[in-house]
Amino acid sequence: LNGQTLARLTDAPGSGAWFEWSPDGTDLGFKLFEPAESNDFPPQVSAVYRTDSGTVEPLFSAARRAGVPSFSAGGRVAYTLGNEVLIAADGGDVVARHDLGHYVNLARLSPNGSQIAYNGPDEQIWLLDVGSGDRDRLTDLPAACFNPVWSPDGRKLAFETVAGNLWTVDRLSRQAFALGRGSQPCWAP
């Protein structure tokens, strides 16, 4: 921002439609779409743009379905590959992986790195314990839910419904609050 310069990370159509910054602002997680022959579904790559080096690093090789990376405050990164969510340490080594049973594009790692929030096959928001693999349904709404976003303290999540509404839910009390029409929720620090 200080130099008021722009850097193109990719020119592939659809790449970067969803993205997430690491809590320290040094990494940007997004999904790349690789060119495909004919009208085939383009291969997808979970990738991270490193602001310190100005490089885009793939987290895994291209796949039919890959998700947008998310970050914990401690340097972990989570991303999906097919039906699995993978959690990697700061050095890139995978420390945990869990089968979600279906493809999820936006599986979000909690600030402390202990849980993943995602939309389940019932289109509700679920929590996955990274260590044990235990799962817990967090919401029970009539509308389909997606795009869970953790509050900085990890106590609440904001999310969207396909009906175009925003909600928050307290992770401990399970109390949900309707915020009205909107999309793409985010939290102030």
Side-chain angles (χ1 to χ4, degrees):
L1 291 176
N2 293 335
Q4 297 184 2
T5 59
L6 296 174
R8 181 182 297 232
L9 306 184
T10 177
D11 59 1
S15 294
W18 294 92
F19 59 88
E20 185 168 330
W21 283 102
S22 62
D24 64 6
T26 61
D27 296 327
L28 177 69
F30 66 104
K31 181 166 55 174
L32 285 168
F33 289 95
E34 293 190 345
E37 294 182 23
S38 68
N39 290 329
D40 289 343
F41 194 73
Q44 304 176 10
V45 179
S46 299
V48 174
Y49 172 69
R50 309 280 184 197
T51 60
D52 57 351
S53 64
T55 59
V56 174
E57 298 177 12
L59 297 175
F60 212 83
S61 56
R64 181 152 175 78
R65 296 202 182 272
V68 176
S70 66
F71 305 90
S72 73
R76 285 185 166 190
V77 61
Y79 56 97
T80 56
L81 185 63
N83 292 348
E84 288 189 309
V85 62
L86 290 78
I87 299 91
D90 194 19
D93 293 332
V94 174
V95 295
R97 65 189 314 152
H98 299 280
D99 188 341
L100 298 175
H102 70 289
Y103 170 70
V104 175
N105 186 43
L106 302 170
R108 300 279 171 65
L109 193 57
S110 64
N112 68 7
S114 67
Q115 292 183 306
I116 298 281
Y118 65 100
N119 60 308
D122 60 357
E123 301 300 338
Q124 296 298 307
I125 303 299
W126 285 73
L127 297 177
L128 167 76
D129 183 277
V130 170
S132 69
D134 291 342
R135 295 151 207 254
D136 188 24
R137 185 169 144 172
L138 190 59
T139 62
D140 187 20
L141 297 176
C145 306
F146 72 103
N147 190 20
V149 180
W150 290 92
S151 63
D153 64 4
R155 182 171 176 185
K156 296 178 182 176
L157 289 116
F159 59 94
E160 299 180 56
T161 68
V162 295
N165 294 307
L166 294 177
W167 287 75
T168 62
V169 63
D170 185 286
R171 185 177 54 82
L172 300 176
S173 72
R174 304 284 200 244
Q175 192 169 11
F177 301 93
L179 301 177
R181 305 285 298 160
S183 64
Q184 305 274 332
C186 64
W187 294 89

